[in-house]
Amino acid sequence: MAITLDLDDIQGLVARGYSGLTHARFTVFGVGGPATGPALLAWLLPRITTAGKFSSDTAIHIAFTAVGLRRLGLPERAAAGFSLEFLGGMATPNRSRFLGDTGKSGPDSWAWGAPGGPAVDGLVLLYARNADLLNERHAELMRRLDEMGARDLTVLNTLERLDREPFGFRDGISQPVVEGLPKAVRGQQSVAAGEFVLGYRNGYGQRTDRPLLPRSDDPGRLLPRDRGGSGAADLGRNGTYLVLRQLEQDVEGFWRYIGEATEGSDGSGDPAARAALAAKLVGRWQSGAPLVKAPERDDPALATNNDFGYHHTDPLGLACPLGAHIRRANPRDSLDPQPGTSASLDVNGLHRLIRRGRSYGPGAGNGPRQATGIYFICLAANLSRQFEFVQHTWLNNPTFNGLYDDTDPLTGNRDGGGGTFTAPARPVRRRYRDLPQFVRTRGGAYFFLPGISALRYLAQLPGPVPSGPRTG
Ligand code: HEM
């Protein structure tokens, strides 16, 4: 049965990555006094971009950490309905180990988001068609945040969207097709809406856990009622979790390694050999063309091609290595128990992410150090089964897919080993050793991106309740 989403109640980031809004700036802030939350939400509410209404000029979104929601005055019994990962935050010692945020990715060296650091209560995401519009809207936001007593502002400037991540590869090609969203294409295997929007059925046919409040907690009937039939007020409905991670990329180190590893094989300094090895690490050529479709050389005509599987065309990874970034992050039809079938795709469908990241780096006004990387953003209804699973069990797993000592060649942590990259080939596979760590985590937090009704509900809460230690 076709599903209808409440598009006017869902923040628009779920439906769109705003490729036409080439300029973006993200602001992490702390809720100051009791007036901050209600005032900020009252000002923002009429401005929030929804999935139903989109402007080609600007877009704005707001999300909160668990600590932030408590600071708005969300009672503990309501907060308890959020997932444990969200409530605990991204930077607890256990979670850091699980996510591979250890060694040089450890929270002790983060620019923001580490326990004990500046407050991370909320996040405003601002997008605009050009620099002038962005600067104008951002200045207004800063003025408002200041007036409302927000504190600890961290402004994350992004690079104008160029469709290339800093290593030089086309990014933002493959996204899940979500049931009920405008981009769903007939005939394409879509993922259940409940995988990305709370309050709807997920890949198991159930409604993902979310905060449900007794009706008496919502006397003004601001919240939708639980469609599951309990009659509870559904604070989660039309919301989703948002993962934000500042991932710094060692672009020079990446290309240095590729250069050294290809010297003397196909001829030293051969640009074609360099491009081919780099493509093997990613699973796509720099143009974006997938290796399973263009195994020998780049074919820009296939730059945005996303219509492929692995099991039937490339079971051994001769074209796209088994450990390549995209083959780990989305194994498509290669998963057990029945690789190559729709059953395999169904299992894979339980671990999808909507990615909304933007690059940062020189030119984006990030201060004198001018580091480069991605503000990785993904959306998912279940942090543990989606984001954390992909990060831990697929990307950072040295034994992924029968491999031995290979973490994700692009993003993997090499703190405890994992610096091998295996490229299956005939007659013998090629092993690249001692891959340095090319990506380190420099900040991050888990947020909740509420539906519009939930924002209205949050706007009328009484203000901060005494809080525990900051973990968000
Ligand atoms: C700095 C870090 C990263 C870089 C440079 C990077 C780069 C890329 C590139 C170039 C692609 C191919 C283009 C596309 O399909 O859109 C891609 C795809 C993807 N990446 Fe990453 N990525 C990074 C981190 C991550 C992380 C941390 C995750 C998840 C936890 C992730 C998940 C994915 C997924 C799901 C895809 C789509 C795969 C597919 O559907 O075929 N990436 N990434």
Side-chain angles (χ1 to χ4, degrees):
M1 198 174 63
I3 179 172
T4 309
L5 298 179
D6 303 337
L7 296 179
D8 295 331
D9 203 47
I10 297 173
Q11 294 203 47
L13 193 63
V14 178
R16 296 185 181 83
Y18 304 124
S19 55
L21 302 181
T22 46
H23 292 68
R25 202 168 286 161
F26 309 141
T27 304
V28 176
F29 65 92
V31 169
T36 309
L40 178 63
L41 285 171
W43 176 69
L44 271 176
L45 260 163
R47 293 173 171 77
I48 300 284
T49 316
T50 66
K53 200 159 132 244
F54 164 71
S55 134
S56 52
D57 281 345
T58 58
I60 189 162
H61 297 293
I62 185 150
F64 293 98
T65 59
V67 175
L69 289 174
R70 290 187 178 114
R71 274 183 209 286
L72 296 181
L74 191 67
E76 209 44 53
R77 63 179 178 280
F82 285 99
S83 70
L84 290 177
E85 311 80 64
F86 174 69
L87 293 175
M90 187 185 279
T92 62
N94 278 343
R95 192 132 280 116
S96 294
R97 268 194 301 280
F98 193 75
L99 297 176
D101 291 333
T102 57
K104 57 182 174 180
S105 282
D108 46 356
S109 63
W110 285 11
W112 60 276
V120 177
D121 293 337
L123 167 70
V124 176
L125 303 143
L126 190 58
Y127 300 82
R129 180 166 49 79
N130 59 38
D132 287 347
L133 260 176
L134 182 74
N135 289 334
E136 189 188 297
R137 297 295 157 93
H138 177 72
E140 191 183 3
L141 173 68
M142 290 295 111
R143 246 190 342 267
R144 297 285 172 166
L145 285 171
D146 186 45
E147 281 164 20
M148 293 162 188
R151 60 196 178 96
D152 294 340
L153 304 193
T154 304
V155 177
L156 308 174
N157 291 297
T158 73
L159 289 172
E160 184 178 340
R161 190 178 183 122
L162 302 170
D163 285 333
R164 299 259 163 180
E165 54 71 41
F167 291 140
F169 290 83
R170 191 184 186 110
D171 201 1
I173 303 168
S174 176
Q175 299 282 10
V177 175
V178 184
E179 185 193 27
L181 283 184
K183 285 215 176 120
V185 181
R186 222 180 314 144
Q188 262 201 39
Q189 173 121 358
S190 61
V191 180
E195 291 293 311
F196 299 105
V197 191
L198 292 168
Y200 299 83
R201 290 189 192 282
N202 62 21
Y204 290 105
Q206 290 160 359
R207 291 183 170 81
T208 307
D209 288 344
R210 63 207 180 282
L212 295 169
L213 317 184
R215 266 177 298 186
S216 53
D217 278 4
D218 178 29
R221 259 199 100 94
L222 294 171
L223 296 172
R225 294 298 176 244
D226 171 23
R227 297 286 167 97
S230 69
D234 196 338
L235 181 65
R237 188 174 169 88
N238 295 324
T240 191
Y241 292 107
L242 183 153
V243 178
L244 170 59
R245 281 163 75 75
Q246 180 171 344
L247 301 179
E248 189 172 298
Q249 296 173 241
D250 179 4
V251 176
E252 211 187 298
F254 176 80
W255 287 107
R256 192 184 322 118
Y257 181 86
I258 299 285
E260 286 167 7
T262 47
E263 250 171 46
S265 61
D266 292 89
S268 46
D270 177 2
R274 282 204 297 269
L277 176 58
K280 290 272 184 195
L281 266 55
V282 175
R284 289 184 184 266
W285 296 91
Q286 277 180 270
S287 73
L291 287 182
V292 283
K293 291 260 172 121
E296 300 299 333
R297 61 192 61 80
D298 198 352
D299 180 357
L302 295 172
T304 55
N305 188 293
N306 200 29
D307 182 18
F308 58 90
Y310 295 112
H311 182 73
H312 297 294
T313 38
D314 187 27
L316 303 177
L318 293 168
C320 178
L322 303 174
H325 176 66
I326 68 162
R327 197 161 176 163
R328 288 171 179 266
N330 178 12
R332 299 181 184 230
D333 63 347
S334 12
L335 296 176
D336 287 339
Q338 293 162 285
T341 67
S342 64
S344 176
L345 288 170
D346 287 345
V347 177
N348 188 61
L350 300 171
H351 308 288
R352 300 300 308 277
L353 305 171
I354 294 179
R355 288 174 302 136
R356 296 291 186 231
R358 297 261 170 148
S359 304
Y360 67 91
N366 281 301
R369 276 196 59 243
Q370 298 289 309
T372 300
I374 288 183
Y375 293 122
F376 174 84
I377 292 180
C378 75
L379 307 176
N382 187 321
L383 288 172
S384 135
R385 172 160 63 73
Q386 292 169 275
F387 166 68
E388 293 195 342
F389 182 92
V390 173
Q391 173 76 11
H392 170 268
T393 310
W394 288 349
L395 298 188
N396 262 331
N397 177 2
T399 57
F400 175 80
N401 217 343
L403 296 165
Y404 174 63
D405 174 47
D406 304 30
T407 58
D408 185 294
L410 210 57
T411 71
N413 183 308
R414 322 269 193 248
D415 198 23
T420 307
F421 174 63
T422 309
R426 290 215 162 95
V428 280
R429 70 179 167 219
R430 184 77 209 270
R431 278 224 159 107
Y432 298 87
R433 306 218 182 253
D434 301 321
L435 263 76
Q437 184 169 330
F438 301 124
V439 171
R440 64 187 283 223
T441 315
R442 297 281 290 126
Y446 288 148
F447 295 89
F448 176 60
L449 185 77
I452 307 300
S453 310
L455 287 173
R456 270 190 212 111
Y457 180 82
L458 295 171
Q460 48 86 60
L461 289 175
V465 286
S467 64
R470 291 192 173 281
T471 51

